[in-house]
Amino acid sequence: KQKCVDALGTETTVHSSAAQCVAHIACAEVPANRWPDLMAKLVANVTTPGSTENIKHATLETIGYVCQDIDPAILSSQSSEILTAIIFGMKKEESSDKVKLAATNSLLNSLEFTKHHFDVDYERNYIMQVVCESTQSSDPLIKVAALQCL
């Protein structure tokens, strides 16, 4: 498991095989509580200053795959941390369109278990601000992904 996480960001391909590998293992291990620190590691990969573009991108892809494939109830207790990493990658201060796109796609995949955050005014307003800013991106793929989130 750790070797797969360590491989995040080491590939030069558009989509990360390591991200898919981590996500598939996570879908088996996380529900059985055999990988309790995975999401904390993934969040740190995205939010730690000095993380490379490739690490952020592959990690956000991983988060997106996990959010898409795992039962939302399993991750609901970690939704704040996951949402923090996703929004961190989407913010206009992020210089990489590749990271922004992966983060925006991850948000789309996480809406099922993060929906309770939209019940809190300041959280909803901030999420919507970041999503709306993403709709103004010069990259059409980011625009489309952000519009899908709406």
Side-chain angles (χ1 to χ4, degrees):
K1 294 186 291 192
Q2 188 58 46
K3 295 288 184 195
C4 287
V5 172
D6 292 344
L8 291 172
T10 62
E11 300 167 287
T12 57
T13 57
V14 174
H15 295 289
S16 170
S17 297
Q20 293 176 18
C21 184
V22 171
H24 285 298
I25 295 170
C27 288
E29 298 283 301
V30 171
N33 203 30
R34 291 191 301 247
W35 207 357
D37 62 340
L38 171 65
M39 284 303 174
K41 287 179 182 180
L42 296 178
V43 169
N45 275 0
V46 175
T47 60
T48 300
S51 286
T52 67
E53 174 188 43
N54 286 343
I55 289 173
K56 289 180 189 179
H57 175 257
T59 300
L60 286 161
E61 271 194 342
T62 304
I63 291 170
Y65 294 147
V66 172
C67 292
Q68 176 182 323
D69 294 336
I70 205 164
D71 178 359
I74 293 168
L75 293 177
S76 63
S77 66
Q78 299 173 60
S79 65
S80 290
E81 293 82 8
I82 295 168
L83 194 56
T84 296
I86 292 170
I87 295 299
F88 191 90
M90 289 179 68
K91 292 192 318 188
K92 62 184 174 190
E93 291 80 16
E94 174 56 57
S95 60
S96 168
D97 281 351
K98 186 167 90 168
V99 170
K100 287 180 184 178
L101 180 59
T104 307
N105 285 329
S106 292
L107 179 63
L108 185 60
N109 292 336
S110 72
L111 290 175
E112 184 64 33
F113 74 90
T114 58
K115 60 185 171 189
H116 68 275
H117 292 278
F118 287 86
D119 295 333
V120 181
D121 284 347
Y122 73 90
E123 289 186 46
R124 179 187 60 244
N125 293 343
Y126 187 67
I127 295 166
M128 293 306 297
Q129 174 188 338
V130 172
V131 171
C132 288
E133 287 170 357
S134 295
T135 66
Q136 303 304 305
S137 173
S138 60
D139 184 325
L141 295 175
I142 296 172
K143 282 183 183 182
V144 169
L147 289 168
Q148 288 175 322
C149 290
L150 296 174

